[in-house]
Amino acid sequence: MEYVDGEDLRTIIDHASPLPAHTASLIALGIARGLEYTHSQGIIHRDIKPSNILISRQGDVKLIDFGIAKDDVSAKLTLTGMIVGTPAYMAPEQANGDPLSVQSDLFSLGILLYEMLTGVKPFLGENNTEILARIVRNKYVSPERINPGIPVALRRIVKKILRKDPLRRYQNSTELIYDLEKVIPWQLRSRKKQIIARMLSHLNKDRPISATTIDMNVYTGPQTWA
């Protein structure tokens, strides 16, 4: 296996979030390109989460751990009611034990993008049951309420990718890549590796984990429903 000198996205989110919008977008773009290739091979990852994303010191974004990945045929044969994956990063259909699609991986990527931009997961709960219930209901706080500095176009991407109905999300990674590239100026895209590598070189692991916090009472206010 390839050795990647760097950090996983979990460590980066824990010690550096919220990330600058352009940095989060560049990382999401790298993940989307990895999924574009994976999906083109007929493979659904099914466990997209921060610890399965590696960021190298050269600025490369690597998607790892295909331990529970399935090809399209196998995914359709998965028993209804069987839940496989990490609860906080599941798509609604995954939480329900329903058949998965490429849109399921994209929903999980949307959760990563939300978390990079805000420092918190969109679907919070006291336990996995509560988390899964919020995912199924698609109940989350709009990202701009936590971080008002998120550009409007990027907010739209997050909300589209986190829609409950898979048919209303991006239909494939290529569509998402197109929108992300419109959000990120070409001057930054051309220096993608340098920007990500510099962010990693400045990562301060002495910074307390979960430096960004959110009051659970915020969920009593206006919600985003997809």
Side-chain angles (χ1 to χ4, degrees):
M1 294 177 64
E2 177 187 8
Y3 171 70
V4 178
D5 181 19
E7 301 285 354
D8 63 26
L9 188 55
R10 175 77 274 149
T11 300
I12 293 170
I13 290 174
D14 284 345
H15 297 284
S17 64
L19 299 179
H22 68 275
T23 304
S25 299
L26 287 170
I27 293 174
L29 182 61
I31 300 170
R33 285 177 173 155
L35 286 176
E36 182 180 43
Y37 175 78
T38 300
H39 294 159
S40 74
Q41 303 303 303
I43 301 294
I44 300 172
H45 189 284
R46 305 203 304 171
D47 197 22
I48 302 298
K49 59 184 178 181
S51 59
N52 282 342
I53 308 298
L54 294 183
I55 311 296
S56 77
R57 300 201 181 280
Q58 290 72 43
D60 293 307
V61 179
K62 304 278 188 177
L63 179 59
I64 66 167
D65 196 355
F66 286 78
I68 64 171
K70 295 286 185 181
D71 60 35
D72 286 340
V73 174
S74 299
K76 290 174 184 175
L77 294 177
T78 299
L79 293 175
T80 300
M82 180 180 179
I83 298 178
V84 180
T86 304
Y89 298 94
M90 286 183 177
E93 61 272 20
Q94 192 170 6
N96 273 327
D98 295 334
L100 306 185
S101 65
V102 297
Q103 287 81 25
S104 306
D105 279 347
L106 294 179
F107 188 97
S108 299
L109 171 51
I111 294 177
L112 296 191
L113 180 55
Y114 182 108
E115 192 174 5
M116 285 190 283
L117 292 168
T118 65
V120 295
K121 301 177 184 70
F123 304 103
L124 299 173
E126 295 289 333
N127 50 53
N128 286 341
T129 300
E130 283 189 15
I131 292 171
L132 293 175
R134 289 188 184 277
I135 290 173
V136 169
R137 296 199 307 271
N138 205 235
K139 189 176 182 181
Y140 67 93
V141 177
S142 297
E144 66 269 21
R145 291 187 59 203
I146 304 170
N147 180 5
I150 301 172
V152 174
L154 192 52
R155 299 176 195 174
R156 294 193 186 115
I157 290 175
V158 171
K159 292 175 182 178
K160 181 173 181 178
I161 202 171
L162 289 181
R163 286 175 179 164
K164 181 176 181 178
D165 183 355
L167 295 178
R168 299 183 61 213
R169 296 176 209 153
Y170 290 100
Q171 292 307 289
N172 51 60
S173 299
T174 305
E175 290 183 4
L176 173 59
I177 290 169
Y178 177 78
D179 275 3
L180 284 170
E181 288 183 337
K182 286 197 300 182
V183 168
I184 310 168
W186 69 267
Q187 296 94 329
L188 297 180
R189 279 190 278 121
S190 65
R191 296 190 294 114
K192 171 191 169 186
K193 288 190 177 183
Q194 296 96 311
I195 291 171
I196 294 176
R198 183 176 181 183
M199 176 274 299
L200 195 60
S201 70
H202 287 81
L203 183 67
N204 179 12
K205 288 188 181 180
D206 292 328
R207 185 186 182 195
I209 292 178
S210 301
T212 301
T213 59
I214 182 171
D215 184 350
M216 284 294 291
N217 291 326
V218 76
Y219 283 105
T220 62
Q223 307 295 330
T224 293
W225 298 81

